[in-house]
Amino acid sequence: MSGCCTPEGSCHTDTRARTRYQVGGVGSAHCQGVVTDAVGALAGVVAVEVEIGTGLVTVTTAGAPDDAFDALLAEAVDEAGYDYAGRADA
């Protein structure tokens, strides 16, 4: 029996995914906090890292994000007053 499995035979696997997005207008710690809060409020988001200046936003989600999640993220960023530019190259 593998170390990840319970005695009942169910296995716990980590399905978290880290995805990078590009957001325009993140030029200060204030902006960083606003984007972090907006993205962090989305369902399924485990962690958010926002780089000041580059606008790279790394989002850790409970599962792999899909197009619907990306649309919600874009809407949250837009409502926060920033420019969503899509997924960034890894």
Side-chain angles (χ1 to χ4, degrees):
M1 177 167 62
S2 164
C4 74
C5 295
T6 65
E8 296 82 33
S10 65
C11 291
H12 302 283
T13 58
D14 190 359
T15 58
R16 292 182 181 185
R18 288 176 48 97
T19 309
R20 291 175 53 171
Y21 299 90
Q22 187 67 52
V23 174
V26 183
S28 68
H30 171 76
C31 299
Q32 180 185 42
V34 170
V35 173
T36 299
D37 290 346
V39 174
L42 297 174
V45 173
V46 176
V48 180
E49 299 168 33
V50 180
E51 294 181 20
I52 298 171
T54 66
L56 286 175
V57 179
T58 304
V59 181
T60 304
T61 50
D66 55 12
D67 290 341
F69 177 83
D70 287 359
L72 289 173
L73 188 137
E75 183 179 345
V77 167
D78 184 57
E79 287 179 5
Y82 297 88
D83 299 317
Y84 174 80
R87 289 193 186 201
D89 294 331

